Amino acid sequence: MIDGKWGAGSARGLKAFVRDSGIELGPGELPNLAPVALVSDAIVTISKQGWSRYYFDFADLSFLSPQKTMTSKVSDNGLSLDFNDSVSSLSISLTSGNASRTSAFHQYALSNSVSKLYTVRKDRLVITSAKVFGGKTLYIRSDLMSDGNWSTILISSLDRDAGRLALVTGSILPHRGPDLELPENGELANGVLAFLAAANDDEGVTANAPNPGETEGMVAAKPPSAPQDAQSSSGTGFAVAPEGLILTNNHVAGSCHKILVDGSPATLIDADETFDLALLRVTGVTNLVTATFADAPAPLNSDVTVAGYPLAGLLSGLNVTRGSVTSIKGLGGDGSRMQISAPVQPGNSGGPVVDAYGHVVGVVVSKLDAKLVQDEIGDIPQNVNFAIRGEIAKLFLYQNGVTPRTSDGIDRLAPETIAKQLQAATHFITCD
């Protein structure tokens, strides 16, 4: 289930997946690999189709939808926002109105129901789901909003697309909500990573292979390659000028045949292997929200926040973590880098590190290889991560004719405000 609970439908779905996948079972046996294989398959599908949660403030409602295949428009009467899936029969309409208008939607479903009627009637929630004429399932949900009006979402599909309809209906929340995620360090999450790594090994790809320019004992924060495309990778970048200029790591974008920033084509302007920095230009963009650099270096033990897109295909959306500057130098006394405790994962590479004022003080570059250190000293390091110092990043920009925006820290910002600023300036990079 979308909420993580296991039910009879979940068991039927897993058995159907095992059957359709050709996995051989003994009598009464359900292999431990099956749930991991199912999740891995779902991750690929969800990533390809761009399933993400979107919040609509006029209805105070959020739900998951396949953004890469959905088209949207305002209805002819201007009273609703309509979505249609280009690859299936799934359609969604979102509207709001008074109790009388809301009741009419549910009455329509009741009047046209031919079978499989399901209803919920509560003070603040009304749901009607029914099979209607034309072989479609119609699902209608209305939630009472704080202003006394009702928000209503209407979803329909043919039986062949029942899974897509179920994913949308199961994700509806009368407020903002999280994207699809697996609990960090949980059995499924760890199993999926192992499963993907095994798939890569089967195709002759070495998992976590070091990238050019990396320091020994460290791995770049890049995700494991998806089984269907061992050459694809992803990372993070952030805008440094409104005219489509994005700063990231060299190991993220320095040797790509094709670069996409949030799905838009980009070109490599310059790359520096020594400092592991790269500057990109997104084609046809002129109004990017630009990050501001701090005038002064980040002092020891100062608060920092990191933003990025880790574990693409496993996690979804922007990830924000917090920590502090734990050393003003990098591994082996490297003066071009600093050590931070903010957690980072594969895919965070190239993301901004900002101070308590929301100003950039570094660029995420790598994390210490915990397994290598454990093998050497018998202990697992915790949150030992590294960032290129902001001063180095500014120098690299100056060398490429870009004058970065800078500012002194005046007023500390609330963590939520910093997250909003990072969300506006941080971008997802894919490399093929």
Side-chain angles (χ1 to χ4, degrees):
M1 298 294 288
I2 193 74
D3 58 6
K5 296 179 181 178
W6 188 266
S10 309
R12 289 194 300 269
L14 181 58
K15 289 179 180 178
F17 172 78
V18 170
R19 181 188 65 244
D20 296 341
S21 301
I23 299 176
E24 296 184 2
L25 296 176
E29 179 186 10
L30 197 61
N32 292 333
L33 179 61
V36 173
L38 175 57
V39 172
S40 299
D41 183 75
I43 286 171
V44 172
T45 301
I46 286 168
S47 177
K48 281 185 175 180
Q49 298 175 359
W51 284 86
S52 299
R53 176 176 293 278
Y54 279 77
Y55 173 74
F56 299 88
D57 54 1
F58 77 92
D60 192 25
L61 198 76
S62 67
F63 56 88
L64 292 166
S65 62
Q67 298 302 309
K68 291 182 180 179
T69 60
M70 273 284 187
T71 59
S72 63
K73 70 172 185 176
V74 178
S75 63
D76 293 338
N77 59 16
L79 297 177
S80 66
L81 186 59
D82 299 332
F83 302 85
N84 289 288
D85 191 7
S86 62
V87 298
S88 76
S89 61
L90 178 69
S91 64
I92 305 170
S93 291
L94 188 62
T95 187
S96 61
N98 57 27
S100 176
R101 183 166 184 263
T102 300
S103 177
F105 291 123
H106 294 272
Q107 187 58 47
Y108 171 84
L110 293 171
S111 301
N112 290 275
S113 173
V114 295
S115 64
K116 294 186 178 179
L117 185 66
Y118 169 77
T119 62
V120 173
R121 299 292 186 266
K122 296 182 178 180
D123 291 342
R124 304 182 64 87
L125 173 66
V126 180
I127 297 175
T128 305
S129 180
K131 181 67 72 65
V132 297
F133 294 106
K136 283 192 173 184
T137 296
L138 175 61
Y139 177 96
I140 305 173
R141 169 174 172 152
S142 300
D143 290 89
L144 182 62
M145 298 189 295
S146 58
D147 63 1
N149 284 319
W150 291 78
S151 67
T152 298
I153 183 170
L154 303 91
I155 311 167
S156 66
S157 79
L158 295 171
D159 284 347
R160 68 171 184 264
D161 299 313
R164 297 171 82 83
L165 182 142
L167 182 54
V168 177
T169 59
S171 71
I172 300 172
L173 292 173
H175 47 72
R176 298 180 186 272
D179 274 327
L180 285 170
E181 292 185 355
L182 292 176
E184 187 177 358
N185 296 322
E187 292 183 9
L188 279 179
N190 292 333
V192 167
L193 291 176
F195 183 79
L196 294 178
N200 283 342
D201 287 340
D202 289 342
E203 296 183 7
V205 179
T206 303
N208 292 331
N211 294 280
E214 286 181 359
T215 304
E216 184 178 355
M218 301 162 63
V219 293
K222 293 178 67 178
S225 301
Q228 77 280 7
D229 185 2
Q231 301 304 313
S232 180
S233 62
S234 66
T236 304
F238 60 98
V240 292
E243 300 80 19
L245 296 182
I246 304 290
L247 183 65
T248 185
N249 289 145
N250 174 62
H251 76 256
V252 169
S255 57
C256 307
H257 295 293
K258 178 182 179 182
I259 306 171
L260 297 177
V261 176
D262 296 334
S264 297
T267 56
L268 178 67
I269 295 177
D270 190 29
D272 189 311
E273 292 187 6
T274 302
F275 293 128
D276 202 351
L277 290 171
L279 184 63
L280 311 178
R281 183 186 299 276
V282 186
T283 306
V285 174
T286 59
N287 58 349
L288 287 182
V289 176
T290 303
T292 299
F293 283 78
D295 272 341
L300 186 64
N301 203 35
S302 59
D303 294 334
V304 291
T305 301
V306 169
Y309 293 89
L311 301 175
L314 180 62
L315 303 181
S316 179
L318 186 71
N319 187 276
V320 178
T321 59
R322 299 165 63 191
S324 62
V325 177
T326 53
S327 175
I328 58 174
K329 291 189 176 182
L331 197 66
D334 183 354
S336 68
R337 303 188 180 188
M338 62 182 182
Q339 182 181 327
I340 58 174
S341 64
V344 300
Q345 306 296 339
N348 272 115
S349 285
V353 181
V354 302
D355 59 17
Y357 308 96
H359 300 152
V360 176
V361 292
V363 181
V364 176
V365 66
S366 58
K367 61 186 296 182
L368 198 64
D369 189 330
K371 185 178 185 306
L372 186 149
V373 175
Q374 182 185 28
D375 292 343
E376 289 292 325
I377 67 174
D379 194 16
I380 300 176
Q382 300 293 321
N383 290 337
V384 180
N385 307 308
F386 297 95
I388 302 161
R389 299 186 65 86
E391 296 70 44
I392 301 297
K394 285 190 287 186
L395 175 62
F396 174 72
L397 293 176
Y398 281 125
Q399 290 173 340
N400 283 281
V402 179
T403 302
R405 289 177 51 186
T406 60
S407 177
D408 284 326
I410 300 175
D411 296 318
R412 295 173 68 94
L413 301 180
E416 297 84 358
T417 302
I418 292 177
K420 288 182 179 179
Q421 290 184 355
L422 288 170
Q423 189 172 32
T426 308
H427 301 273
F428 179 61
I429 299 173
T430 53
C431 167
D432 293 315

